[in-house]
Amino acid sequence: MNKNMYRIFFALILLTFARYCYAPAFTIDTPGYYELGDDITFSPGGADAIIVIQASDVELNLGRRIIKQGNATPDVDSYTIDGITFINCQERGLSINTVNNFLIQNCTFTQCAQASTGDAVLFLTNSSFGTIRNSRITTSTFTAAAGTVYGIRSSNISLCTFNDISINQLTVNTAVTLNAITFDGTSTNLIVSNIFIDQLSNTGPAVSGANGITINLTSGQIIFTNCRATNIACTNGIATFLSASSGTTPVSLIGCIASRVSGVTSIPYFLATITNYSLIDCIAQNCTSTTGNVIPFGLSSNTRCNLVRCYALSNSSSAAAHAGISLTVCTGCSVSQCIVADGTAATTAQGYNIGTCTECCYDANGAFRNLGATSLGFIQSASGTCHL
């Protein structure tokens, strides 16, 4: 059946069901092109989904139509993608744009190329009330020549949850920045948990970078719990597990772990020009650089940021300096009950490095251990008003 026949056939089915009998979920189980023929009003008797896609190579054009629920039955999704494997996508594997009440689960994205800058294997934009769970992005080499490429990019989304997602074996060797998962635009009110990132590799030239989780622009009101990243490597640029910049709304990381993050500069937790952030029970361990500095927790130009029971363990620079927790040009930030241990460096290995901060607090319960022969447990430089 050709594209036009699918369009007509599917449109007639939806028109009939929507207008006359409030059918159960519409299921697409055959590859092809489908286009919504009219608005849908769906009145289910129990938990259900209005449209379910159960086949690969499906293009569904909603045609600016309206999908709505005609009753108050709870637990109904307007758009469900379940158990699909996306293979060899050159641009986007799956794009969700201006959709409310959607569910993506049990999906795999693999062997994707991402030939265009700004694109993502899974791209979510201008959508809300969504759930993404039990899915993975794996074994892909991106080919874009410049800019930024993404495993998952979430732009201007709200009231969504991400749970049990793995992103591994993503590689680039061009002048791009590689981000495993990004929240940008005005993405707000999100819960992100059990994210596992492994084997992120960027061997491109000096303008490149490799980042696990990135948050920028005005994204915020996000809670991250139990997120993990290991083996993030950037040969000629910066490598991070969390990179947050220019945010103005609350974000919390609880129980997150970064290990084996390596780059020209390695900053597992990099927070710059942000407001209202908390890192609680987070760990950076075994992160390295053979050419530059290693800064497990790097906070710069931030306001009202808190580190509580955070640990920098066994991180090292074989060419430059190590600073377990670095606060520079910060206001109203606090560091409490944190430990920096077994950090080594070619020059100096520091526990806390506090520079030009105002009204910042760091308590006496911090601990420094085995920082090497050139160690400096606590450094406060330049002017500022801080309290111990």
Side-chain angles (χ1 to χ4, degrees):
M1 188 179 292
N2 64 30
K3 179 183 285 189
N4 289 330
M5 291 178 68
Y6 268 125
R7 179 189 294 127
I8 295 170
F9 180 65
F10 192 58
L12 287 174
I13 290 176
L14 293 184
L15 279 170
T16 301
F17 284 162
R19 288 179 174 172
Y20 300 113
C21 63
Y22 293 128
F26 302 117
T27 300
I28 301 174
D29 56 11
T30 303
Y33 176 90
Y34 300 82
E35 184 174 312
L36 202 59
D38 204 348
D39 298 343
I40 297 175
T41 299
F42 181 52
S43 296
D48 209 337
I50 297 175
I51 298 175
V52 177
I53 299 174
Q54 295 179 335
S56 299
D57 298 321
V58 168
E59 181 181 353
L60 173 59
N61 185 349
L62 299 181
R64 297 184 181 275
R65 302 296 184 180
I66 296 173
I67 300 174
K68 65 180 180 179
Q69 186 174 345
N71 60 14
T73 300
D75 301 319
V76 177
D77 299 307
S78 65
Y79 195 10
T80 296
I81 299 174
D82 187 359
I84 304 299
T85 298
F86 300 79
I87 301 175
N88 196 30
C89 46
Q90 298 300 303
E91 301 292 340
R92 300 178 186 177
L94 175 62
S95 179
I96 303 294
N97 186 359
T98 319
V99 176
N100 294 328
N101 299 308
F102 63 91
L103 171 63
I104 301 168
Q105 65 180 7
N106 305 317
C107 292
T108 297
F109 302 81
T110 186
Q111 300 174 37
C112 298
Q114 296 307 104
S116 297
T117 183
D119 257 333
V121 176
L122 173 57
F123 201 144
L124 311 172
T125 183
N126 302 317
S127 299
S128 60
F129 298 101
T131 297
I132 304 92
R133 66 189 181 201
N134 300 326
S135 296
R136 64 179 184 144
I137 298 173
T138 185
T139 319
S140 297
T141 298
F142 298 161
T143 60
T148 304
V149 290
Y150 308 84
I152 299 175
R153 184 178 183 184
S154 302
S155 183
N156 303 319
I157 66 168
S158 63
L159 299 165
C160 293
T161 62
F162 298 75
N163 188 39
D164 291 331
I165 297 171
S166 68
I167 303 173
N168 64 2
Q169 298 183 50
L170 304 188
T171 62
V172 296
N173 59 7
T174 53
V176 302
T177 296
L178 172 61
N179 293 343
I181 180 168
T182 289
F183 301 92
D184 61 17
T186 54
S187 294
T188 61
N189 295 303
L190 309 176
I191 297 175
V192 183
S193 58
N194 302 317
I195 307 298
F196 181 64
I197 301 166
D198 184 25
Q199 298 182 57
L200 210 64
S201 175
N202 190 338
T203 58
V207 295
S208 61
N211 306 293
I213 298 170
T214 55
I215 310 168
N216 52 44
L217 301 179
T218 56
S219 292
Q221 299 179 33
I222 308 174
I223 297 177
F224 295 88
T225 58
N226 194 35
C227 295
R228 305 283 195 271
T230 186
N231 299 312
I232 297 177
C234 187
T235 304
N236 295 300
I238 188 172
T240 75
F241 161 50
L242 170 75
S243 177
S245 61
S246 304
T248 58
T249 52
V251 171
S252 295
L253 277 80
I254 304 170
C256 296
I257 299 176
S259 65
R260 293 192 291 275
V261 176
S262 62
V264 171
T265 301
S266 174
I267 312 179
Y269 297 87
F270 180 41
L271 290 71
T273 321
I274 58 175
T275 302
N276 299 323
Y277 272 58
S278 294
L279 275 65
I280 302 170
D281 296 323
C282 292
I283 297 172
Q285 61 184 9
N286 299 317
C287 300
T288 62
S289 175
T290 58
T291 54
N293 297 328
V294 172
I295 307 171
F297 294 88
L299 283 70
S300 175
S301 303
N302 300 313
T303 303
R304 296 190 298 277
C305 295
N306 302 302
L307 274 67
V308 180
R309 295 187 304 275
C310 291
Y311 307 94
L313 309 173
S314 301
N315 304 291
S316 65
S317 170
S318 58
H322 164 282
I325 297 173
S326 176
L327 276 71
T328 57
V329 200
C330 291
T331 301
C333 295
S334 68
V335 179
S336 177
Q337 303 176 56
C338 294
I339 295 174
V340 181
D342 302 316
T344 60
T347 55
T348 56
Q350 302 170 357
Y352 292 179
N353 178 26
I354 313 296
T356 321
C357 293
T358 303
E359 298 300 331
C360 291
C361 296
Y362 30 90
D363 68 17
N365 294 318
F368 317 111
R369 189 190 71 175
N370 295 341
L371 296 182
T374 57
S375 67
L376 297 167
F378 178 84
I379 294 289
Q380 179 173 338
S381 60
S383 61
T385 54
C386 296
H387 307 280
L388 180 63

